[in-house]
Amino acid sequence: MSTIEVKGLVKRYKELIALDDFSLSVEAGEVFGLLGPNGSGKTTAINCILQLLTYDRGEIRLFGETMSPTRYDLKRRIGIVPQNVAVFPQLSVEENIGYFCSLYVDSAVERRGLVDQAIDFVGLEEFRRFRPRKLSGGLLRRLNIACGIAHRPELIFFDEPTVAVDPQSRNAILEGIQRLSASGSTIVYTSHYMEEVQQLCSRIMIMDHGRAHATGTTAELTSLVGLDDRVEIELPADPEFADKGLEIARVLPHITQASLNGNTLRVSCARASRALAEVLAALDDAQITYGKVYSEPPTLNDVFLEITGKELRD
Amino acid sequence: MRTAFVYTVKILVRDRAVLLWAVAFPLILSSMFYAVFSNLDQIYTLGRMPVLVVQDDNYAGAPQFATLIDQLGVDRSSDPLLEPTFVPTEAQARDTMADQDFLGFIQVTSTGKPTYVMDPGRVDGSADVMDPTRQSVILTLLDRYSQDAAYVADLAKTDPSKLADPALLAALSGHTDFTQPISATTNPVSDTVRYFYAALAFSCIMMMSFGLSAVSSWKADASPVGARRSLGGQSWTRSLAPTLAAAWLLSFICVLIGFCYIRFAFGISFGGKEWACVAVLALSTLVSTLVGALIGAINAPTGVKSGLTVLITCVLSAFAGLYGPPSQKLGDWVAVHLPGLSVINPVRQVYEAFYNLYYYDSYSRFTEKVIILAITAVVGFVVCVAVMRRTRYRSL
């Protein structure tokens, strides 16, 4: 049974189609990454799933049951960490977490324990009596997370939780999400930081213009778009050797693309390990010396740009 | 729910600007009213009337009249009618009257008859609405004295033995009171209290800003906090009840402070039924909280909704007589001719509840107002929850 099952979701803002026949399936225990440029429909999709926004068509099932605005029993099993920090400036860290936890948990005794655990989880123990205005950006983000997870939800939506935080806080947040996942929570994670998504998520959906363009693991997405590995070889500064090296590389069988950037030879190939050996052997045969050699597989960023295009968005 | 209530109280109390304004508003408004209207009831009292008395030879030749002036001006120290100032001549009386603040001067003629010359400035064109009445009282007094003196003089000539009749003497001295002030109500009629009741009613309904801000903070399109709260796992009834209860409590405390200020600092009477007034305050702030909540539930920008609450309160207050006699007449006219409009006007209902407590011995009219306010509160809550429950957003 899928934790989230969305089928054919359509959401229009007058003429603009925000979600265009959007479908999604997230399995229990998964960390699911939702990637897309600004305005691609990620947050709209989440808000529709949570019944905060109306939608024109489609079916949404959570935990195997049809979701509706009054399914408070289902809502109690969900946590949300919104994009913007959503806490009360008038309440302390402890009070904020306690308040939001009270929206889900009735028992005061149980809640007290959950609040302590949430504070401990995000490492805000020494700030528990602080008001939000006295917290740094990173601490605020951690408070934002604590407010969303204190009631121990089975399904948690993280909507760009690491925006504008320092590397230490970011690292702490990512570790926390991994711990939540390890404890069995299903997580939907949206971000613009590709390396985060690649690090955290077991499956990723790339969406744009309200549509799901591709879904799968990083490897599946890479193979889906047919991106090759990249190899970069530093050649002698003499242009004659560089040009000769380019000519050699172009005729090798596993090389799909070759180019020069100054005296650096760039080649694309299906499998870097095999192609690299061939290129280096050919250069040796031609008595062309070389310096540093780099080899890297295609990144999620490459996949993302390949799917969504390189033109600037808002 | 208790937790949500406590936290909402904390949120509202720690919002210093809102709280200070809510506390200060009834105090400022009632202070302004006190400064403007506190002398309103005194305007319609005669007071001690300042007159000049020409103390010349004719005056000395009318000892009975001199005794009367003494009795009216000096001897009746508990409530003297006249404030006589003696001058030796008529010319000096005219000069003094022209220069100073006197109603006129009394002079005894050579025949022993008192005459009265009014200050022209204190007759028709006087700024004091009671001056014509005062002039009339003095003239009546002197006429009565002249009639009695003439009667006694005539009696002395025709039948002197009757002057020894105690019944006649009693009759002559018995018409000291021409009219008897009586009150149809337990408490004296007062124009001043109307203004303070209207001000208090206005303050009560103005507290709808608490309900407005409490519910606005639940709106997903108003703030990220609102969006997060909207996703909570509780029904709207359970979510809103403690929030609105907290908003009501603070509203009630704020107007209660205002009420105590009006009652004890300014001494404005509420007919000795202060506890009933506290009940009205509690109910009226509940109404205002829920009406504010209802406005807060509407899908509109917060600024628009805030403006709407101020506009509604100000317009409704016009029918409670807040803006002076024309407003009072309008409110009274609507209450008589269009009672349905008065019923749906909470400011008017609160005002009338105070008014009925002050003027009526029976609680029946007061109870009627309380029931209307209670129904308004219930309707406000039910509609607010229904609106919030159905609220979903086209966009955020």
CSV table of all heavy atoms in Angstrom, one decimal, chain B residues 107-148:
chain,number,residue,atom,x,y,z
B,107,GLN,N,-34.8,96.2,42.8
B,107,GLN,CA,-34.9,97.5,43.5
B,107,GLN,C,-36.3,97.7,44.0
B,107,GLN,O,-37.3,97.3,43.4
B,107,GLN,CB,-34.6,98.6,42.4
B,107,GLN,CG,-34.5,100.0,43.0
B,107,GLN,CD,-34.1,101.0,42.0
B,107,GLN,OE1,-34.4,100.8,40.8
B,107,GLN,NE2,-33.5,102.1,42.4
B,108,VAL,N,-36.4,98.3,45.2
B,108,VAL,CA,-37.7,98.5,45.9
B,108,VAL,C,-38.1,100.0,45.5
B,108,VAL,O,-37.3,100.9,45.6
B,108,VAL,CB,-37.6,98.3,47.4
B,108,VAL,CG1,-38.9,98.6,48.0
B,108,VAL,CG2,-37.1,96.9,47.8
B,109,THR,N,-39.3,100.1,45.0
B,109,THR,CA,-39.8,101.4,44.6
B,109,THR,C,-40.2,102.2,45.9
B,109,THR,O,-40.2,101.7,47.0
B,109,THR,CB,-41.0,101.3,43.7
B,109,THR,OG1,-42.1,100.7,44.4
B,109,THR,CG2,-40.7,100.5,42.5
B,110,SER,N,-40.5,103.5,45.7
B,110,SER,CA,-40.9,104.4,46.8
B,110,SER,C,-42.2,103.9,47.4
B,110,SER,O,-42.4,104.2,48.6
B,110,SER,CB,-41.0,105.8,46.3
B,110,SER,OG,-42.0,105.9,45.3
B,111,THR,N,-43.0,103.1,46.7
B,111,THR,CA,-44.2,102.6,47.3
B,111,THR,C,-44.0,101.3,48.0
B,111,THR,O,-44.9,100.6,48.5
B,111,THR,CB,-45.2,102.3,46.1
B,111,THR,OG1,-44.7,101.4,45.2
B,111,THR,CG2,-45.6,103.6,45.4
B,112,GLY,N,-42.7,100.8,48.0
B,112,GLY,CA,-42.4,99.6,48.8
B,112,GLY,C,-42.5,98.3,47.9
B,112,GLY,O,-42.3,97.2,48.4
B,113,LYS,N,-42.8,98.5,46.6
B,113,LYS,CA,-43.0,97.3,45.7
B,113,LYS,C,-41.6,97.0,45.1
B,113,LYS,O,-40.9,97.8,44.5
B,113,LYS,CB,-44.0,97.7,44.7
B,113,LYS,CG,-44.3,96.5,43.7
B,113,LYS,CD,-45.3,96.9,42.7
B,113,LYS,CE,-45.6,95.8,41.7
B,113,LYS,NZ,-46.5,96.3,40.6
B,114,PRO,N,-41.2,95.7,45.1
B,114,PRO,CA,-40.0,95.3,44.5
B,114,PRO,C,-40.1,95.2,43.0
B,114,PRO,O,-41.1,94.7,42.5
B,114,PRO,CB,-39.7,94.0,45.1
B,114,PRO,CG,-41.0,93.4,45.5
B,114,PRO,CD,-41.9,94.6,45.8
B,115,THR,N,-39.1,95.7,42.3
B,115,THR,CA,-39.1,95.6,40.8
B,115,THR,C,-37.8,94.9,40.4
B,115,THR,O,-36.8,94.9,41.2
B,115,THR,CB,-39.2,97.0,40.1
B,115,THR,OG1,-38.0,97.7,40.5
B,115,THR,CG2,-40.4,97.7,40.4
B,116,TYR,N,-37.9,94.4,39.2
B,116,TYR,CA,-36.7,93.6,38.8
B,116,TYR,C,-36.3,94.0,37.4
B,116,TYR,O,-37.1,94.1,36.5
B,116,TYR,CB,-37.0,92.1,38.8
B,116,TYR,CG,-35.9,91.2,38.3
B,116,TYR,CD1,-34.7,91.2,39.0
B,116,TYR,CD2,-36.1,90.3,37.2
B,116,TYR,CE1,-33.6,90.4,38.5
B,116,TYR,CE2,-35.0,89.5,36.8
B,116,TYR,CZ,-33.8,89.5,37.5
B,116,TYR,OH,-32.8,88.7,37.0
B,117,VAL,N,-35.0,94.3,37.2
B,117,VAL,CA,-34.5,94.7,35.9
B,117,VAL,C,-33.5,93.6,35.4
B,117,VAL,O,-32.5,93.3,36.1
B,117,VAL,CB,-33.8,96.1,36.0
B,117,VAL,CG1,-33.2,96.4,34.6
B,117,VAL,CG2,-34.7,97.2,36.4
B,118,MET,N,-33.9,93.0,34.3
B,118,MET,CA,-33.1,91.9,33.8
B,118,MET,C,-31.9,92.4,33.0
B,118,MET,O,-32.0,93.4,32.3
B,118,MET,CB,-33.9,91.0,32.9
B,118,MET,CG,-35.0,90.2,33.7
B,118,MET,SD,-35.9,89.1,32.6
B,118,MET,CE,-37.2,90.1,32.1
B,119,ASP,N,-30.8,91.7,33.1
B,119,ASP,CA,-29.7,91.9,32.2
B,119,ASP,C,-30.1,91.5,30.8
B,119,ASP,O,-30.4,90.3,30.6
B,119,ASP,CB,-28.4,91.1,32.7
B,119,ASP,CG,-27.2,91.4,31.8
B,119,ASP,OD1,-27.4,92.1,30.8
B,119,ASP,OD2,-26.1,90.8,32.2
B,120,PRO,N,-30.1,92.4,29.9
B,120,PRO,CA,-30.6,92.0,28.5
B,120,PRO,C,-29.7,90.9,27.9
B,120,PRO,O,-30.3,90.1,27.1
B,120,PRO,CB,-30.4,93.3,27.7
B,120,PRO,CG,-30.1,94.4,28.7
B,120,PRO,CD,-29.7,93.8,30.0
B,121,GLY,N,-28.5,90.9,28.3
B,121,GLY,CA,-27.6,89.8,27.7
B,121,GLY,C,-28.0,88.4,28.3
B,121,GLY,O,-27.5,87.4,27.8
B,122,ARG,N,-28.8,88.3,29.3
B,122,ARG,CA,-29.1,87.0,29.9
B,122,ARG,C,-30.6,86.7,29.9
B,122,ARG,O,-31.1,86.2,30.8
B,122,ARG,CB,-28.6,87.0,31.4
B,122,ARG,CG,-27.0,87.1,31.4
B,122,ARG,CD,-26.5,86.7,32.7
B,122,ARG,NE,-26.7,85.3,33.1
B,122,ARG,CZ,-26.1,84.6,34.1
B,122,ARG,NH1,-25.2,85.3,34.8
B,122,ARG,NH2,-26.4,83.4,34.4
B,123,VAL,N,-31.1,87.2,28.7
B,123,VAL,CA,-32.5,86.8,28.5
B,123,VAL,C,-32.6,85.9,27.3
B,123,VAL,O,-32.3,84.7,27.4
B,123,VAL,CB,-33.4,88.1,28.3
B,123,VAL,CG1,-34.9,87.7,28.3
B,123,VAL,CG2,-33.2,89.1,29.5
B,124,ASP,N,-32.9,86.4,26.2
B,124,ASP,CA,-33.1,85.5,25.0
B,124,ASP,C,-31.8,85.1,24.4
B,124,ASP,O,-31.6,83.9,24.0
B,124,ASP,CB,-33.9,86.3,23.9
B,124,ASP,CG,-35.3,86.5,24.4
B,124,ASP,OD1,-35.8,85.7,25.2
B,124,ASP,OD2,-35.9,87.5,23.9
B,125,GLY,N,-30.8,86.0,24.4
B,125,GLY,CA,-29.6,85.6,23.7
B,125,GLY,C,-28.5,84.9,24.6
B,125,GLY,O,-27.4,84.8,24.2
B,126,SER,N,-29.0,84.5,25.8
B,126,SER,CA,-28.0,84.0,26.7
B,126,SER,C,-27.5,82.6,26.3
B,126,SER,O,-28.2,81.8,25.7
B,126,SER,CB,-28.7,83.8,28.1
B,126,SER,OG,-27.8,83.2,29.0
B,127,ALA,N,-26.2,82.4,26.6
B,127,ALA,CA,-25.6,81.1,26.2
B,127,ALA,C,-26.0,80.0,27.2
B,127,ALA,O,-26.0,78.8,26.8
B,127,ALA,CB,-24.0,81.2,26.3
B,128,ASP,N,-26.5,80.4,28.3
B,128,ASP,CA,-26.9,79.5,29.3
B,128,ASP,C,-28.4,79.2,29.1
B,128,ASP,O,-29.3,80.1,29.2
B,128,ASP,CB,-26.7,80.0,30.7
B,128,ASP,CG,-26.9,79.0,31.8
B,128,ASP,OD1,-27.7,78.0,31.6
B,128,ASP,OD2,-26.3,79.1,32.9
B,129,VAL,N,-28.8,77.9,28.8
B,129,VAL,CA,-30.1,77.6,28.4
B,129,VAL,C,-31.1,77.8,29.6
B,129,VAL,O,-32.3,77.9,29.4
B,129,VAL,CB,-30.3,76.2,27.9
B,129,VAL,CG1,-29.5,76.0,26.6
B,129,VAL,CG2,-29.7,75.2,28.9
B,130,MET,N,-30.6,77.8,30.8
B,130,MET,CA,-31.4,77.9,32.0
B,130,MET,C,-31.7,79.4,32.4
B,130,MET,O,-32.5,79.6,33.3
B,130,MET,CB,-30.8,77.2,33.2
B,130,MET,CG,-30.8,75.7,33.0
B,130,MET,SD,-32.5,75.0,32.9
B,130,MET,CE,-33.1,75.2,34.6
B,131,ASP,N,-31.0,80.4,31.7
B,131,ASP,CA,-31.2,81.8,32.1
B,131,ASP,C,-32.7,82.2,32.0
B,131,ASP,O,-33.2,82.9,33.0
B,131,ASP,CB,-30.3,82.7,31.3
B,131,ASP,CG,-28.9,82.8,32.0
B,131,ASP,OD1,-28.8,82.2,33.1
B,131,ASP,OD2,-28.0,83.4,31.4
B,132,PRO,N,-33.4,82.0,31.0
B,132,PRO,CA,-34.8,82.4,30.9
B,132,PRO,C,-35.6,81.8,32.1
B,132,PRO,O,-36.5,82.5,32.6
B,132,PRO,CB,-35.3,81.8,29.6
B,132,PRO,CG,-34.0,81.7,28.7
B,132,PRO,CD,-33.0,81.3,29.7
B,133,THR,N,-35.3,80.6,32.4
B,133,THR,CA,-36.0,80.0,33.5
B,133,THR,C,-35.7,80.7,34.9
B,133,THR,O,-36.6,81.0,35.7
B,133,THR,CB,-35.7,78.5,33.7
B,133,THR,OG1,-35.8,77.9,32.4
B,133,THR,CG2,-36.5,77.8,34.7
B,134,ARG,N,-34.4,81.0,35.0
B,134,ARG,CA,-34.0,81.7,36.2
B,134,ARG,C,-34.7,83.1,36.3
B,134,ARG,O,-35.2,83.5,37.4
B,134,ARG,CB,-32.5,81.9,36.2
B,134,ARG,CG,-31.7,80.6,36.4
B,134,ARG,CD,-30.2,80.8,36.6
B,134,ARG,NE,-29.6,79.5,36.6
B,134,ARG,CZ,-28.8,79.0,35.6
B,134,ARG,NH1,-28.6,79.8,34.6
B,134,ARG,NH2,-28.2,77.9,35.7
B,135,GLN,N,-34.7,83.8,35.2
B,135,GLN,CA,-35.4,85.1,35.2
B,135,GLN,C,-36.8,85.0,35.5
B,135,GLN,O,-37.4,85.8,36.3
B,135,GLN,CB,-35.2,85.8,33.8
B,135,GLN,CG,-33.8,85.9,33.2
B,135,GLN,CD,-33.0,87.0,33.9
B,135,GLN,OE1,-33.3,87.4,35.1
B,135,GLN,NE2,-32.0,87.5,33.3
B,136,SER,N,-37.4,83.9,35.0
B,136,SER,CA,-38.9,83.7,35.3
B,136,SER,C,-39.1,83.4,36.8
B,136,SER,O,-40.1,83.9,37.4
B,136,SER,CB,-39.3,82.5,34.4
B,136,SER,OG,-40.6,82.2,34.7
B,137,VAL,N,-38.2,82.6,37.4
B,137,VAL,CA,-38.3,82.3,38.8
B,137,VAL,C,-38.2,83.6,39.6
B,137,VAL,O,-39.0,83.8,40.6
B,137,VAL,CB,-37.2,81.3,39.2
B,137,VAL,CG1,-37.2,81.1,40.7
B,137,VAL,CG2,-37.5,79.9,38.6
B,138,ILE,N,-37.3,84.4,39.3
B,138,ILE,CA,-37.1,85.7,40.1
B,138,ILE,C,-38.3,86.6,40.0
B,138,ILE,O,-38.9,87.1,40.9
B,138,ILE,CB,-35.8,86.4,39.7
B,138,ILE,CG1,-34.6,85.6,40.0
B,138,ILE,CG2,-35.7,87.8,40.3
B,138,ILE,CD1,-33.3,86.1,39.4
B,139,LEU,N,-38.8,86.7,38.7
B,139,LEU,CA,-40.0,87.5,38.5
B,139,LEU,C,-41.2,87.0,39.3
B,139,LEU,O,-42.0,87.7,39.9
B,139,LEU,CB,-40.3,87.6,37.0
B,139,LEU,CG,-39.5,88.5,36.2
B,139,LEU,CD1,-39.7,88.4,34.7
B,139,LEU,CD2,-39.7,90.0,36.6
B,140,THR,N,-41.4,85.7,39.2
B,140,THR,CA,-42.5,85.0,39.9
B,140,THR,C,-42.4,85.2,41.4
B,140,THR,O,-43.4,85.5,42.1
B,140,THR,CB,-42.5,83.5,39.6
B,140,THR,OG1,-42.6,83.3,38.2
B,140,THR,CG2,-43.8,82.8,40.2
B,141,LEU,N,-41.2,85.1,41.9
B,141,LEU,CA,-40.9,85.3,43.3
B,141,LEU,C,-41.4,86.8,43.8
B,141,LEU,O,-42.1,87.0,44.8
B,141,LEU,CB,-39.5,85.1,43.6
B,141,LEU,CG,-38.9,85.2,45.0
B,141,LEU,CD1,-39.4,84.0,45.8
B,141,LEU,CD2,-37.4,85.3,45.0
B,142,LEU,N,-40.9,87.7,43.0
B,142,LEU,CA,-41.2,89.1,43.3
B,142,LEU,C,-42.7,89.4,43.2
B,142,LEU,O,-43.3,90.1,44.0
B,142,LEU,CB,-40.4,90.1,42.5
B,142,LEU,CG,-38.8,90.0,42.6
B,142,LEU,CD1,-38.1,91.0,41.8
B,142,LEU,CD2,-38.4,90.1,44.1
B,143,ASP,N,-43.3,88.9,42.1
B,143,ASP,CA,-44.8,89.0,41.9
B,143,ASP,C,-45.5,88.5,43.1
B,143,ASP,O,-46.5,89.1,43.6
B,143,ASP,CB,-45.2,88.3,40.7
B,143,ASP,CG,-44.9,89.2,39.4
B,143,ASP,OD1,-44.5,90.3,39.6
B,143,ASP,OD2,-45.0,88.6,38.3
B,144,ARG,N,-45.1,87.3,43.5
B,144,ARG,CA,-45.8,86.7,44.7
B,144,ARG,C,-45.7,87.5,45.9
B,144,ARG,O,-46.6,87.6,46.7
B,144,ARG,CB,-45.1,85.3,44.9
B,144,ARG,CG,-46.0,84.4,45.7
B,144,ARG,CD,-47.1,83.9,44.9
B,144,ARG,NE,-48.1,83.2,45.7
B,144,ARG,CZ,-49.3,82.7,45.3
B,144,ARG,NH1,-49.6,82.7,44.1
B,144,ARG,NH2,-50.1,82.1,46.2
B,145,TYR,N,-44.5,88.0,46.1
B,145,TYR,CA,-44.2,88.9,47.3
B,145,TYR,C,-45.2,90.1,47.2
B,145,TYR,O,-45.8,90.4,48.2
B,145,TYR,CB,-42.8,89.3,47.4
B,145,TYR,CG,-42.6,90.3,48.5
B,145,TYR,CD1,-42.5,90.0,49.8
B,145,TYR,CD2,-42.5,91.7,48.1
B,145,TYR,CE1,-42.3,90.9,50.8
B,145,TYR,CE2,-42.4,92.7,49.1
B,145,TYR,CZ,-42.3,92.3,50.5
B,145,TYR,OH,-42.1,93.2,51.4
B,146,SER,N,-45.2,90.7,46.0
B,146,SER,CA,-46.0,91.9,45.9
B,146,SER,C,-47.5,91.6,46.2
B,146,SER,O,-48.2,92.4,46.8
B,146,SER,CB,-45.9,92.5,44.5
B,146,SER,OG,-44.5,92.8,44.3
B,147,GLN,N,-48.0,90.5,45.6
B,147,GLN,CA,-49.4,90.1,45.8
B,147,GLN,C,-49.7,89.9,47.3
B,147,GLN,O,-50.7,90.3,47.8
B,147,GLN,CB,-49.7,88.8,45.0
B,147,GLN,CG,-49.8,89.0,43.6
B,147,GLN,CD,-50.0,87.7,42.8
B,147,GLN,OE1,-50.3,86.7,43.4
B,147,GLN,NE2,-49.7,87.7,41.5
B,148,ASP,N,-48.8,89.1,48.0
B,148,ASP,CA,-49.0,88.8,49.4
B,148,ASP,C,-48.9,90.1,50.2
B,148,ASP,O,-49.7,90.3,51.1
B,148,ASP,CB,-47.9,87.9,49.9
B,148,ASP,CG,-48.1,86.5,49.4
B,148,ASP,OD1,-49.2,86.2,48.8
B,148,ASP,OD2,-47.2,85.6,49.5
